[in-house]
Amino acid sequence: MKQKKTKLKDFLENISVLQWILTFLLLGLACIGLMVYLMFTSLWPLPTLYFIWQLKDWHTPERGGRRTAFVRNWKMWKHVRDYFPMKLVKTAELNPNKNYILGCHPHGVMSMGAFTSFSTEACGFMDLFPGVRSCLCILGGIFKVPLYREYAMATGCYPVSKPSLEHLLSKSGKGNAVVIVIGGAAESLLSLPGVNTVYMKQRKGFVRVALEFGADLVPVYSYGENNIFRQVIFTEDSVGWRLQQLFKKLMGFAPCLFVGECWFWMPYHCPVTTVVGSPIPVPKRPSPTQEEVDHYHGLYMEALAKLFHGHKASCGLSDSHELRII
């Protein structure tokens, strides 16, 4: 029998999720605004010294960052997990003597399943995969924002750039599970409740990187990720659609117009289950051919489809649900 939550527990869950949403949407702008404001006050030496230090520290996010167990184990993340609730499911062992690239699908509006599962310890990644370190790679522009970059690094996030991936897969030892949300901004615009669409037929860069460094590929699917918000989908060539495409081209991410359960921004209480599939062995090819990239990309898409259909029933989907790969 499911235990009823106390009012205090319900409050803590709501305030923890609200903190995450506001951080995702507003913390970057708030940090920039704060630093600009301080430049015009008597405290101007503080932002000046920080900017000088940031320039010196510019490449740290791509050279291993500064992740801290303290931030990744905040009690707040467990309240975020319990709000939905979220769960991480293991289907196969990951050898701590190897490196991996985990392709996570779908993106959803905010990739909350990926963040909670791989950038915090709320879902118990280290307990499920002992000796393996999850490394969530996100938009590189975040690490150029003052102060915000420190927070992102503390949670164990890294830029999704070639130098960053090269460092994680060749200069940080073994046991690194590099997590990439493959569909990116294009997939976020396809996020709709009850829809399972992934954007990856032309996304082959992660396969090329896996071949260059001999990192096994692992498909990951977050069931329920698309259900936690209701997004407004603009018709193609409409003004809203054109603005989204322009913003995506300029900034690297797309602004989604969405609503939640209450207060507009609060997500719906929908279970999110992130299932980690079996590794696909990948040989090391310093200069992979296009044929090799296409071959392993095809194997990956087959494995992703197999993972989706193999676990959809246990994750609350009906047999009629299909995975659409575009």
Side-chain angles (χ1 to χ4, degrees):
M1 185 177 177
K2 187 176 179 179
Q3 188 176 3
K4 187 176 180 180
K5 295 178 182 179
T6 64
K7 289 184 178 180
L8 176 60
K9 172 63 174 171
D10 192 58
F11 171 77
L12 291 173
E13 289 179 8
N14 278 275
I15 205 69
S16 297
V17 170
L18 181 61
Q19 174 276 146
W20 197 95
I21 301 296
L22 293 177
T23 296
F24 183 92
L25 295 175
L26 302 176
L27 183 58
L29 291 174
C31 289
I32 294 172
L34 175 63
M35 299 299 272
V36 171
Y37 168 75
L38 290 177
M39 286 295 294
F40 294 93
T41 69
S42 59
L43 297 176
W44 65 265
L46 293 179
T48 301
L49 290 173
Y50 179 87
F51 286 134
I52 294 172
W53 177 81
Q54 183 178 346
L55 288 174
K56 183 179 179 181
D57 193 59
W58 192 258
H59 296 291
T60 294
E62 295 181 330
R63 296 172 180 171
R66 281 191 292 270
R67 64 190 283 148
T68 67
F70 171 72
V71 174
R72 289 174 62 89
N73 285 283
W74 276 348
K75 180 71 173 178
M76 173 179 63
W77 303 130
K78 293 184 179 180
H79 293 312
V80 172
R81 175 199 66 193
D82 295 341
Y83 175 94
F84 294 95
M86 290 182 172
K87 182 170 63 172
L88 183 64
V89 175
K90 165 184 167 182
T91 64
E93 296 291 341
L94 296 184
N95 188 341
N97 294 316
K98 300 195 70 173
N99 286 328
Y100 302 90
I101 291 182
L102 278 60
C104 194
H105 315 265
H107 185 286
V109 173
M110 296 185 185
S111 297
M112 295 192 74
F115 179 85
T116 307
S117 297
F118 303 115
S119 205
T120 80
E121 293 301 328
C123 294
F125 182 90
M126 292 182 67
D127 294 330
L128 289 173
F129 302 100
V132 179
R133 186 178 71 156
S134 61
C135 309
L136 180 62
C137 292
I138 61 176
L139 190 66
I142 289 175
F143 298 91
K144 295 177 173 60
V145 179
L147 301 179
Y148 192 19
R149 68 194 295 271
E150 316 302 334
Y151 178 76
M153 282 193 286
T155 63
C157 287
Y158 304 85
V160 61
S161 65
K162 186 63 179 292
S164 177
L165 297 177
E166 179 181 353
H167 189 280
L168 292 170
L169 295 172
S170 66
K171 300 176 182 178
S172 294
K174 300 297 182 181
N176 294 301
V178 177
V179 183
I180 304 175
V181 185
I182 305 297
E187 194 172 275
S188 69
L189 296 176
L190 304 174
S191 174
L192 284 171
V195 174
N196 298 283
T197 301
V198 296
Y199 188 90
M200 66 163 298
K201 280 188 176 180
Q202 301 304 318
R203 299 294 173 96
K204 300 180 181 181
F206 73 103
V207 179
R208 185 175 295 278
V209 171
L211 282 162
E212 288 178 1
F213 298 103
D216 289 356
L217 292 167
V218 182
V220 178
Y221 200 88
S222 289
Y223 298 85
E225 179 70 44
N226 285 344
N227 296 335
I228 60 181
F229 289 109
R230 306 293 185 264
Q231 184 180 179
V232 176
I233 302 296
F234 295 103
T235 57
E236 192 170 342
D237 289 330
S238 66
V239 175
W241 183 86
R242 289 173 183 269
L243 288 174
Q244 284 181 324
Q245 298 303 314
L246 177 62
F247 200 92
K248 177 164 69 74
K249 183 177 180 180
L250 294 175
M251 304 299 293
F253 68 95
C256 301
L257 183 60
F258 63 91
V259 294
E261 193 171 49
C262 60
W263 305 343
F264 294 104
W265 284 349
M266 292 298 290
Y268 286 85
H269 290 267
C270 298
V272 178
T273 303
T274 301
V275 182
V276 180
S278 301
I280 302 168
V282 176
K284 187 173 182 179
R285 298 283 189 269
S287 299
T289 64
Q290 189 59 49
E291 289 74 16
E292 288 175 319
V293 172
D294 291 342
H295 173 69
Y296 284 96
H297 184 261
L299 291 179
Y300 180 87
M301 288 197 294
E302 290 176 9
L304 177 63
K306 182 179 178 180
L307 177 72
F308 175 81
H309 291 295
H311 294 270
K312 63 182 180 181
S314 61
C315 293
L317 300 185
S318 66
D319 292 336
S320 62
H321 277 86
E322 294 294 330
L323 178 65
R324 182 182 174 217
I325 301 178
I326 61 174

